[in-house]
Amino acid sequence: MARDLSPAVSPPRAAQARGGGRVTDGPAPPPRRPGRRARGWLYVLPAVAVYLGFAIWPALNTLRLSLLTWDGILPAEWAGLSNYVKIFRDSQLYEAILHSLALIIFFSVIPIGVGLLMTALLMGKVRRGMTFFRIVFFLPQVLPLVAVGITWRWLYSESGVVNQFLDLVGLGSITRAWLGDYGLALVALGLIGTWVMSGLCMMLFLAGAQKIDPSLYEAARLDGAGAFRQFRHVTVPGVRREITVAGVITTISALASFDLVFVTTNGGPAGQTNVPGLLVYRLAFNEGDIGGASALAVVLTVIVVAVVSAVRYFTRDDES
């Protein structure tokens, strides 16, 4: 008589197999508790309330005000899209947008390049004193931009340190009041942004580079890669996500810049450093056109979202 060698099947698993259901190994998942999801919502409720109150509601209110004619005192009147039509017919808007796009070079492109260069110089070579270098380069980020603007306004003045240095090296013929120069005011303003943002980019890249596996550098050295090729093929791909974060933060700072421009040049000379944020302030508080200022703020928000989305698209990680 043949002997049945098939393994024994427990009654529940046998019943599940006979019913065509999937047989799973391991213990059954714990039953769902009815109040668990509600307790999770209670944890995030304060953050959601703050976000709705200080981000979503002001944005919706700004959109509502952009459709009104209101001076901030008298009752508002419905204006429809007339505020947007007036904004787009104003040539100052296009000049201000061009100035903001030019500032992206100084606030974003150059700081990212400087940050990568400083990362290459500091990564793996300077161990002692690394904290000192980080504090020195990150210092502009912890200073109020108003204080930074006042300091650089003095440095750029006719008797400031910049002109004194040029006199010292024999370049006294090109000295001038840099922030008052019609052709160089925007460049001088942008270099302040470069000084402020470079430290932030360097800190992000250094933090990302320290997470790279050292065996990758060792393998690159065994393959004969020099310092430049190691930086290009190991360090830069390793900090790709940090580059994206730095690009988004610095681009937003360039497009939505206001306090630095207001303190240093106030849009001058002759509107050469006007930016959309400064025009919003003038419309709202100098001219009392709350509706027009709100419409311009909505347009500025759309521009920021569009440019930041483009930055994220072109710097996206294909592997993710």
Side-chain angles (χ1 to χ4, degrees), residues 110-133:
I110 297 178
I112 288 177
V114 173
L116 288 174
L117 177 62
M118 296 305 298
T119 301
L121 294 176
L122 296 177
M123 186 66 189
K125 294 181 174 61
V126 178
R127 297 299 183 186
R128 183 175 299 176
M130 180 72 79
T131 304
F132 172 77
F133 282 106

Side-chain angles (χ1 to χ4, degrees), residues 225-267:
F228 176 74
R229 294 183 64 186
Q230 291 179 38
F231 175 75
R232 179 184 175 187
H233 296 290
V234 179
T235 305
V236 172
V239 299
R240 186 182 182 89
R241 293 180 179 177
E242 283 75 14
I243 293 175
T244 302
V245 173
V248 170
I249 294 175
T250 54
T251 300
I252 293 176
S253 298
L255 294 175
S257 59
F258 166 74
D259 39 10
L260 191 61
V261 180
F262 181 75
V263 172
T264 53
T265 63
N266 197 17

Side-chain angles (χ1 to χ4, degrees), residues 284-306:
F285 298 102
N286 293 350
E287 302 179 15
D289 187 1
I290 305 298
S294 300
L296 184 53
V298 172
V299 173
L300 176 60
T301 302
V302 173
I303 294 173
V304 170
V305 171

Side-chain angles (χ1 to χ4, degrees), residues 103 107 144-157 177-181 185-193 196 257-269 273-275 278 282:
L103 288 180
F107 278 64
L145 284 180
V146 174
V148 171
I150 293 174
T151 302
W152 276 94
R153 193 173 60 187
W154 172 73
L155 293 174
Y156 275 140
S157 65
W178 296 94
L179 292 175
D181 189 274
L186 187 63
V187 176
L189 176 65
L191 290 177
I192 302 176
V196 173
S257 59
F258 166 74
D259 39 10
L260 191 61
V261 180
F262 181 75
V263 172
T264 53
T265 63
N266 197 17
T273 57
N274 269 337
V275 291
L278 191 62
R282 288 175 179 169

